[in-house]
Amino acid sequence: MFKGSIPALVTPFKNGAVDFDALKKLVDWHVDQGSHGLVPVGTTGESPTLSHEEHGQVIEAVVEAAAGRIPVIAGAGSNNTAEAIELIQHAEAAGADAALIVTPYYNKPTQRGLIAHFTALHDCCTLPIIIYNIPGRSVVDMLPETMGELAKLPRIIGVKDATGKIERVSQQRASCGKGFIQLSGEDATALGFNAHGGVGCISVTANVAPKLCAEFQEATLRGDYAAALDYQDRLMPLHEAIFIEPGLAGAKYGLAKLGLCSEEVRSPLTTLLDSTKAKIDAAMRHAGIIN
């Protein structure tokens, strides 16, 4: 159920407020473009600057707009276990298909603390859980052995791996089993990730190039790596350009170029420098998204 190209969905804003009309149009667009799922209110959805009320409303709106056409994996992580329990229980009540739970950031728990945190979330609801391991932001790395212990729980079903370490896929296959769902969290290395046994990517670039990212993923999943490499060549400049500044700002700029939402972001993020915009424009032309 959870494989292929899964955009880490931006949260559109208009004059400082969530633009729910644009959000619903984005969901329809992703369905039409062939995206295989959506992740609302992850970091790319600006979850750190959404209020709890907005967080819940965005999940509800995306679930409603998706209407069962593609799965919705709700961002529900926190570095406070009690708060994460509230978020995942709300995601379940809203009708999400799964929850994406980041390793607790800033407070740097031990591996034993990670097991306690994820076990508490597993036990508080019936939603499938995908672990989000991103040491570059959380400053804690869930080791394959720890993930293997958590994979024994029936509803901890996979990982979004943003370590950038391709060998982790093979290590996690050994520790978690071949059926454990491994999704890349890094667009530029998603090709190699799938070659090692991954089955998809929770993608920032797929906000802007959903059809290309979906076709790229489908090529890898059918084992056609020659076709996948052609897609990689088209997409690589965009992967790089979107992340010159924070990726969600790059994604929103690309969507604004396509007329799908504003490029507005919330402080402390800012809209892009003109030099960055020019590089994204060039990358979108290279990919064939704009003329």
Side-chain angles (χ1 to χ4, degrees):
M1 184 177 186
F2 306 113
K3 64 181 180 180
S5 178
I6 305 172
L9 193 64
V10 301
T11 301
F13 297 132
K14 185 176 182 180
N15 300 322
V18 176
D19 185 347
F20 286 100
D21 289 338
L23 179 64
K24 292 173 183 178
K25 288 176 183 176
L26 283 178
V27 173
D28 286 337
W29 184 62
H30 280 294
V31 172
D32 291 343
Q33 291 284 303
S35 294
H36 301 103
L38 291 169
V39 175
V41 292
T43 313
T44 304
E46 293 180 77
S47 55
T49 54
L50 295 180
S51 69
H52 283 180
E53 182 181 14
E54 289 172 327
H55 185 114
Q57 290 171 339
V58 169
I59 292 173
E60 291 164 8
V62 171
V63 168
E64 180 182 7
R69 294 176 292 172
I70 53 175
V72 175
I73 305 168
S78 172
N79 64 341
N80 173 343
T81 303
E83 181 177 72
I85 286 171
E86 292 179 4
L87 293 173
I88 196 172
Q89 288 177 338
H90 175 271
E92 180 178 34
D97 297 289
L100 181 67
I101 305 295
V102 69
T103 49
Y105 41 86
Y106 191 81
N107 42 17
K108 296 176 70 174
T110 62
Q111 299 297 303
R112 184 164 51 91
L114 291 174
I115 289 173
H117 179 77
F118 280 90
T119 299
L121 289 165
H122 172 274
D123 292 347
C124 80
C125 71
T126 62
L127 271 187
I129 291 172
I130 296 172
I131 297 163
Y132 182 12
N133 192 28
I134 182 164
R137 288 182 183 263
S138 67
V139 201
V140 60
D141 184 5
M142 182 182 287
L143 300 178
E145 297 77 13
T146 303
M147 200 172 292
E149 285 300 308
L150 287 168
K152 295 174 183 177
L153 298 172
R155 289 184 303 284
I156 294 189
I157 62 166
V159 61
K160 174 186 177 183
D161 188 303
T163 62
K165 298 179 179 179
I166 297 295
E167 69 273 16
R168 280 292 177 93
V169 188
S170 297
Q171 293 167 349
Q172 286 156 186
R173 279 168 65 84
S175 62
C176 301
K178 294 179 181 179
F180 194 69
I181 297 166
Q182 297 201 57
L183 304 169
S184 173
E186 188 180 81
D187 281 296
T189 58
L191 178 65
F193 189 94
N194 281 11
H196 275 253
V199 296
C201 182
I202 296 178
S203 167
V204 176
T205 302
N207 278 286
V208 179
K211 187 173 188 291
L212 288 176
C213 288
E215 291 173 349
F216 161 76
Q217 283 292 329
E218 288 164 4
T220 68
L221 293 175
R222 66 175 181 264
D224 188 351
Y225 278 90
L229 192 56
D230 286 339
Y231 282 110
Q232 179 81 346
D233 291 341
R234 287 179 67 183
L235 286 165
M236 192 65 191
L238 189 57
H239 295 328
E240 294 178 329
I242 280 177
F243 284 97
I244 292 170
E245 296 185 52
L248 70 90
K252 280 189 167 180
Y253 172 73
L255 287 167
K257 286 287 291 186
L258 297 172
L260 291 166
C261 74
S262 79
E263 59 184 289
E264 185 178 336
V265 294
R266 281 186 177 169
S267 183
L269 297 184
T270 60
T271 53
L272 302 180
L273 296 169
D274 287 343
S275 58
T276 303
K277 292 179 180 180
K279 290 176 181 175
I280 293 175
D281 290 347
M284 290 175 72
R285 285 194 292 270
H286 177 85
I289 300 168
I290 60 174
N291 296 321

